[in-house]
Amino acid sequence: VIDLDASGLASGPLATWPNSGAMGGSFVAGPAVAEVSRVAGANGVTLDGESQYYTGPVSPLFLTGNPSMTVDAWIYNAVVEDEETLLSWGRRGGNPDGSNMAFGHGLNAAYGAAGHWGAPDIGWNDTTVEAQWTYVAYSYDPAVGLGTGTLYTDGVQANQEENGPLAIHAVDSTAEALPLLIRLGAQNSTTGGVDLGQAGAFTISRVRVYDTALSAVEIQSIYTAELPGYQGGNEAEIDSVVRVGNQVTFTWTGPAGGSYTVEASNDAASGYGAVAT
């Protein structure tokens, strides 16, 4: 349904992030524009947790009420806070419990992972990871018990609760009952405006929404297939190469405190490089 992928985006400000998922459309920055940059070996869009967020299309009816769904994302969160929103729809304010859908990355034991409002909330069960690329997913199956939400960190089940049935709002609380929008990095207020109280401060490389509850095997398969693209955080990119006579000087910028082993070869086919240790 939604597939926002930063891996092929050019570095710099990103005013509009096209959705390559089945819904189509785009997510528009506003009013502050975030930037695409390379973080720990992978491209991502970095949000400041204060004024940067993206607004997407109207949430489809099949993602409201008590839907079968999965949300997954690759994120780099340098410092995990109590509650940070990745992607959301529905709206805050309760009435009834389970009427919001906010997938996030936070330390709060009750609602750090999925904020539905009230008893249906669920946390990450102390599995959040800082300062490295992490694959996070939330799958909700309304057909298991009264509705069961399952969380995954790096392909492994992190938490599970029978937290349904949900009642995710499709419209705001105003007299006009306007359709609610999908937001990246923020949530909807009761009246449908943007709520930055739980804004996300992290780098997002990819985020997707599926209109079905993916299984543990499917989640693990996605993680395994995509992991190689996020393992470059310890590889140093060469900044410059200067050759004077028979002497070649390489310079690179690595992580603070990092050490390197330089490998050399007389065989051009095997190459050479700087490898982080």
Side-chain angles (χ1 to χ4, degrees):
V1 178
I2 294 174
D3 187 355
L4 301 176
D5 186 358
S7 62
L9 298 180
S11 296
L14 183 67
T16 302
W17 196 347
N19 172 30
S20 61
M23 278 184 60
S26 296
F27 282 68
V28 179
V33 178
E35 293 199 0
V36 179
S37 61
R38 196 158 183 83
V39 175
N43 269 17
V45 178
T46 301
L47 305 180
D48 63 6
E50 297 178 359
S51 60
Q52 295 173 336
Y53 63 94
Y54 287 79
T55 300
V58 168
S59 55
L61 290 178
F62 59 78
L63 287 179
T64 62
N66 190 39
S68 177
M69 62 181 173
T70 302
V71 187
D72 70 348
W74 280 97
I75 63 170
Y76 185 98
N77 196 346
V79 180
V80 182
E81 302 293 345
D82 187 62
E83 183 184 11
E84 299 181 75
T85 305
L86 274 161
L87 194 75
S88 73
W89 60 94
R91 56 179 161 89
R92 296 181 58 77
N95 192 26
D97 284 359
S99 54
N100 191 32
M101 173 56 213
F103 178 55
H105 195 237
L107 297 175
N108 193 284
Y111 46 79
H116 290 301
W117 206 268
D121 291 345
I122 185 171
W124 280 111
N125 196 27
D126 296 324
T127 65
T128 53
V129 178
E130 291 186 341
Q132 70 180 54
W133 284 108
T134 307
Y135 176 68
V136 291
Y138 173 59
S139 176
Y140 176 78
D141 191 341
V144 177
L146 297 175
T148 298
T150 308
L151 292 160
Y152 300 87
T153 297
D154 288 340
V156 178
Q157 182 174 311
N159 203 359
Q160 185 177 72
E161 289 183 10
E162 187 175 327
N163 60 339
L166 302 179
I168 301 171
H169 283 301
V171 297
D172 65 27
S173 64
T174 65
E176 294 83 0
L178 299 175
L180 291 163
L181 301 170
I182 302 173
R183 298 192 190 275
L184 178 76
Q187 297 184 36
N188 289 315
S189 68
T190 304
T191 55
V194 63
D195 188 325
L196 290 168
Q198 300 75 32
F202 37 56
T203 301
I204 305 171
S205 179
R206 192 169 191 178
V207 58
R208 289 165 291 207
V209 178
Y210 310 77
D211 61 355
T212 186
L214 297 184
S215 68
V217 172
E218 290 172 312
I219 294 292
Q220 177 64 52
S221 177
I222 293 171
Y223 169 70
T224 301
E226 296 179 348
L227 178 60
Y230 297 93
Q231 290 182 311
N234 289 328
E235 296 176 2
E237 295 186 7
I238 301 299
D239 295 327
S240 66
V241 180
V242 178
R243 179 167 184 169
V244 178
N246 291 326
Q247 180 174 313
V248 180
T249 301
F250 299 88
T251 61
W252 65 85
T253 302
S259 60
Y260 295 85
T261 299
V262 178
E263 298 176 347
S265 173
N266 292 323
D267 179 4
S270 64
Y272 52 82
V275 181
T277 58

